[in-house]
């Protein structure tokens, strides 16, 4: 396959270009993975379940303490377990070892996006798309957190890239690839093990939309559906069968009934929002490229009938976006699998001379202006938070916060596309470097220092200091965040005041009770002899950011 220009039939990134993208990804995603404390609640639930999986040697059943955790399949826990093994860490590994999976997955997503962009619109476009993906707020966050979403993105981009290869080969746009259909189905199988039906739904919507707009389904033969589905099932089905054998119907009731269907049918876990939510948060999570990407996406939408590659990107982004807008349960990361499509459209618009000359209809111009106004507000808000968070929470000024603010404003200026002659070196690369540098400063030097919001590390340190024997157990009342369990011990008991008093009385030598100030009366009433029989050995005050409430937690042990 030869390297051609941006409107050629194919292109390929060179080895040096891909290596530079890998270096960029390491700069974007590695800083902060060891300094940022475990976050609540999803990340800490994932890593604690992996910790227990490694400690127990049971790689089929998934548990958080004694409770089954069947909302997601086992794929992410296996990958995190493999990361612990590769790094030589065991069940007590620090948080950075678990986060390496997301760093690697985000890097794969960037490379796959860049390779697809090169194939569709030329090597320069590929560099633009991959570089831009590495710089957006959403992936800068998910790429350094030990959750499923960066890994899911990697499977989504690989699947969609293979699907694009099959579709555009049939349209005479790309050269044939015998491996493409098998890569597509294998990626779908892997995605099911990560997060169930999300990526299959994305690809199904893309296929259905392409078939509808093209009015031609002959290209579907290239997907090798019969044998491809068998490959997908060969990857995903063994664990599904094992967990069904082990749990009976409980896994399916939890994952499909309580998790998937409830998200589709109603707003789950206080995350219900009306349609328009993802349009509203677009300017934040696609920062710093939101206005430029939107303008490019609109041009691609207008040109979709003239170029099957642009039609593919439209059918990737728009139907999936409409689907998640209609689902009542909404979380910001749900939109992540769609973002590569609009960034690929941006790479086309920045490298195609005819696209740069395109004028938008009036309503699209006003939409772009509205987006630009929202983007400006977001940039200023991010800068203000970077500067003001440390003084507000700790009373001290942080020069690192000021540096992060300057970098964020620079990223916004370069990434907005307002400068004349916006391109790879003049807009995309400097915007990504500034955005990634800002996140590095924030996650290494600013956010970890906001101690009032990091209650769990302080509580774990206090417990380690005051416990009376190596096997001491922490009994927690009024603060039940998963990060506390991960940072202390799997047997940490999250309970109420009466049970805490009973546990402390039953094992006075090796039990520490941690009581929220609001539960003190109930705790004292349940203790034999009241507070006279215990001694306070420590206290921590701060903010539970998961609930947005202040907490004052006191540590007690029985008097000798």
């Amino acid at each position: 396959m030869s390297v051609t220009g941006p409107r050629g039939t194919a292109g390929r990134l060179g080895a040096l270009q891909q290596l530079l993208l890998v270096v960029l990804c390491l700069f974007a995603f590695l800083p902060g993975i060891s300094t940022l404390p475990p976050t609540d609640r999803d990340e800490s639930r994932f890593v604690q379940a992996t910790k227990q999986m490694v400690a127990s040697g049971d790689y089929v059943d998934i548990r958080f303490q004694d409770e089954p955790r069947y909302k997601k399949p086992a794929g992410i826990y296996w990958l995190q377990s493999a990361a612990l093994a590769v790094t030589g860490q065991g069940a007590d590994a620090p948080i950075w070892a678990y986060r390496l999976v997301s760093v690697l997955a985000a890097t794969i997503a960037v490379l796959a996006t860049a390779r697809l962009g090169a194939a569709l619109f030329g090597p320069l476009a590929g560099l633009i798309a991959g570089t831009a993906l590495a710089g957006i707020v959403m992936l800068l966050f998910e790429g350094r957190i030990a959750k499923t979403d960066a890994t899911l993105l990697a499977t989504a981009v690989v699947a969609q890239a293979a699907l694009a290869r099959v579709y555009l080969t049939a349209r005479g746009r790309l050269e044939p690839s015998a491996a493409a259909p098998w890569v597509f189905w294998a990626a779908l199988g892997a995605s099911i093990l990560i997060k169930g039906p999300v990526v299959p739904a994305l690809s199904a919507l893309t296929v259905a939309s392409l078939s509808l707009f093209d009015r031609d389904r002959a290209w579907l033969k290239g997907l090798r559906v019969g044998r491809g589905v068998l490959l997908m099932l060969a990857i995903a089905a063994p664990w599904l069968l094992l967990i069904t054998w082990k749990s009976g119907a409980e896994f399916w009731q939890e994952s499909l009934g309580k998790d998937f269907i409830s998200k589709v049918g109603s707003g789950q876990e206080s995350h219900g929002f009306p349609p328009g939510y993802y349009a509203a948060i677009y300017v934040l999570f696609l920062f710093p490229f939101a206005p430029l990407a939107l303008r490019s996406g609109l041009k691609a939408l207008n040109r979709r009938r003239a170029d099957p590659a642009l039609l593919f990107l439209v059918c990737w982004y728009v139907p999936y976006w409409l689907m998640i807008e209609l689902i009542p349960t909404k979380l910001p990361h749900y939109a992540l699998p769609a973002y590569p499509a609009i960034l690929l459209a941006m790479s086309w618009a920045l490298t195609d001379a005819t696209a740069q000359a395109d004028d938008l209809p009036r309503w699209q111009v006003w939409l772009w202006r509205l987006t630009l106004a929202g983007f400006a507000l977001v940039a200023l808000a991010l800068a203000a938070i970077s500067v003001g968070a440390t003084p507000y929470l700790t009373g001290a000024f942080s020069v690192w916060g000021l540096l992060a603010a300057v970098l964020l404003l620079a990223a916004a200026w370069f990434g907005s596309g307002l400068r004349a002659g916006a391109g790879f070196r003049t807009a995309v690369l400097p915007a990504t470097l500034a955005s990634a540098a800002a996140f590095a400063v924030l996650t290494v030097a600013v956010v970890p220092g906001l101690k009032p919001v990091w209650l769990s590390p302080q509580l774990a340190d206090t417990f380690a200091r005051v416990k009376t024997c190596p096997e001491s157990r922490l009994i927690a009342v009024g603060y039940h965040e998963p990060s506390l369990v991960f940072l202390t011990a799997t047997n940490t008991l999250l309970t109420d005041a009466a049970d805490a008093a009973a546990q402390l009385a039953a094992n006075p030598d090796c039990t520490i009770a941690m009581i929220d100030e609001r539960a003190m009366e109930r705790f004292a009433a349940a203790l034999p002899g009241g507070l006279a029989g215990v001694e306070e050995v420590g206290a921590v005050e701060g903010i539970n950011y998961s609930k947005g409430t202040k907490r004052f937690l006191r540590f007690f042990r029985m008097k000798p």
Side-chain angles (χ1 to χ4, degrees):
M1 186 182 298
S2 61
V3 176
T4 63
R7 299 303 296 141
T9 57
R12 175 182 293 173
L13 287 179
L16 180 59
Q17 293 169 315
Q18 295 184 66
L19 178 60
L20 290 175
L21 282 173
V22 170
V23 172
L24 175 64
C25 288
L26 295 179
F27 172 65
F29 308 129
L30 270 180
I33 66 169
S34 63
T35 54
L36 191 67
T39 59
D40 287 307
R41 295 184 173 111
D42 284 349
E43 180 184 36
S44 292
R45 286 170 177 157
F46 279 115
V47 296
Q48 175 61 28
T50 299
K51 179 179 180 178
Q52 292 179 216
M53 184 177 278
V54 172
S56 68
D58 186 342
Y59 292 91
V60 176
D61 204 12
I62 308 167
R63 292 189 172 269
F64 180 88
Q65 296 190 299
D66 294 329
E67 294 295 321
R69 182 165 167 76
Y70 293 152
K71 289 186 176 182
K72 303 292 185 291
I76 194 65
Y77 307 101
W78 290 348
L79 291 172
Q80 290 178 358
S81 298
L84 301 192
V86 168
T87 56
Q89 305 287 333
D92 294 323
I95 188 64
W96 64 263
Y98 297 85
R99 289 171 170 167
L100 289 176
V101 174
S102 291
V103 173
L104 176 60
T107 302
I108 291 172
V110 167
L111 286 174
T113 300
R115 288 168 64 91
L116 177 57
L120 297 182
F121 309 118
L124 179 58
L127 274 178
I128 288 173
T131 300
L133 183 61
I136 64 171
V137 162
M138 178 64 79
L139 193 57
L140 287 171
F141 178 74
E142 295 294 347
R144 49 173 43 89
I145 297 295
K147 293 165 58 220
T148 56
D149 299 289
T151 308
L152 187 76
L153 176 67
T155 62
V157 177
V158 171
Q160 291 293 95
L163 181 62
R165 173 72 63 177
V166 172
Y167 171 71
L168 294 172
T169 295
R171 294 292 174 266
R173 187 71 160 71
L174 294 180
E175 296 178 3
S177 169
W182 313 118
V183 171
F184 171 70
W185 293 106
L188 291 189
S191 75
I192 291 171
L193 284 177
I194 299 298
K195 207 169 182 177
V198 175
V199 176
L202 169 67
S203 295
L205 286 169
T206 306
V207 168
S209 302
L210 288 170
S211 300
L212 176 65
F213 283 109
D214 261 2
R215 299 181 182 179
D216 178 10
R217 298 174 181 83
W219 68 275
L220 294 173
K221 295 178 182 178
L223 284 176
R224 308 286 192 269
V225 174
R227 285 174 289 175
V229 169
L230 291 177
L231 174 60
M232 179 180 70
L233 293 176
I235 294 171
W239 179 81
L240 295 173
L241 292 174
L242 285 171
I243 193 63
T244 301
W245 171 76
K246 191 155 192 173
S247 71
E250 188 175 358
F251 167 74
W252 297 102
Q253 291 170 350
E254 185 72 22
S255 62
L256 290 181
K258 293 183 181 179
D259 190 53
F260 181 72
I261 294 177
S262 64
K263 284 178 179 177
V264 173
S266 61
Q268 190 185 54
E269 300 174 357
S270 303
H271 298 307
F273 293 95
Y277 171 82
Y278 293 104
I281 67 171
Y282 167 87
V283 289
L284 171 59
F285 290 103
L286 213 67
F287 180 95
F289 299 108
L292 184 57
L294 176 73
R295 187 178 182 90
S296 303
L298 291 172
K299 290 183 177 183
L301 180 67
N302 298 340
R303 288 272 205 103
R304 68 190 184 278
R305 298 185 185 279
D307 188 337
L310 298 180
L311 177 62
F312 183 88
L313 297 180
V314 170
C315 291
W316 176 347
Y317 187 89
V318 175
Y320 180 80
W321 169 64
L322 291 175
M323 180 189 74
I324 59 176
E325 287 284 19
L326 293 174
I327 292 174
T329 300
K330 292 180 172 64
L331 288 167
H333 57 259
Y334 288 1
L336 184 56
Y339 288 159
I342 200 166
L343 294 176
L344 285 162
M346 186 179 83
S347 75
W348 159 76
L350 292 178
T351 55
D352 187 296
T354 62
Q356 294 171 26
D358 280 356
D359 291 325
L360 296 177
R362 182 176 294 274
W363 73 269
Q364 292 183 351
V365 171
W366 281 106
L367 178 60
W368 173 76
R369 289 175 178 172
L370 179 63
T371 301
L372 192 61
F375 176 76
L377 291 176
V378 163
L380 292 173
L382 289 174
I385 292 170
S386 298
V387 172
T390 301
Y392 177 75
L393 291 169
T394 70
F397 177 75
S398 171
V399 67
W400 295 110
L402 178 60
L403 175 60
V406 171
L407 289 168
L408 287 167
L409 292 175
W413 171 242
F414 284 113
S416 66
L418 292 176
R419 295 181 68 211
F424 176 67
R425 291 185 179 87
T426 58
V428 177
L429 182 59
T432 288
L433 290 175
S435 181
F439 259 73
V441 171
L442 288 170
T443 55
V444 172
V446 178
V447 176
L450 304 177
K451 288 194 173 181
V453 302
W454 299 117
L455 270 175
S456 289
Q458 297 182 71
L459 297 171
D461 289 345
T462 303
F463 172 62
R465 188 176 66 251
V466 304
K467 65 182 183 180
T468 51
C469 47
E471 65 274 15
S472 285
R473 188 184 193 192
L474 179 64
I475 312 298
V477 175
Y479 182 81
H480 292 174
E481 297 302 331
S483 58
L484 180 65
V485 178
F486 177 73
L487 291 171
T488 53
T490 298
N491 70 346
T492 293
L493 181 61
L494 312 178
T495 187
D496 57 29
D499 189 39
Q503 295 286 340
L504 188 59
N507 187 14
D509 293 333
C510 292
T511 301
I512 301 293
M514 185 190 79
I515 312 298
D516 181 18
E517 179 66 22
R518 298 172 304 172
M520 280 300 301
E521 289 187 11
R522 296 189 296 276
F523 176 63
L527 278 170
L531 292 178
V534 298
E535 60 179 343
E536 185 173 346
V537 292
V540 172
E541 186 174 9
I543 300 169
N544 182 355
Y545 64 85
S546 293
K547 294 187 175 182
T549 54
K550 291 183 177 180
R551 289 286 186 268
F552 181 59
L553 297 141
R554 302 163 66 181
F555 289 77
F556 295 92
R557 63 188 176 201
M558 296 296 290
K559 287 182 178 178

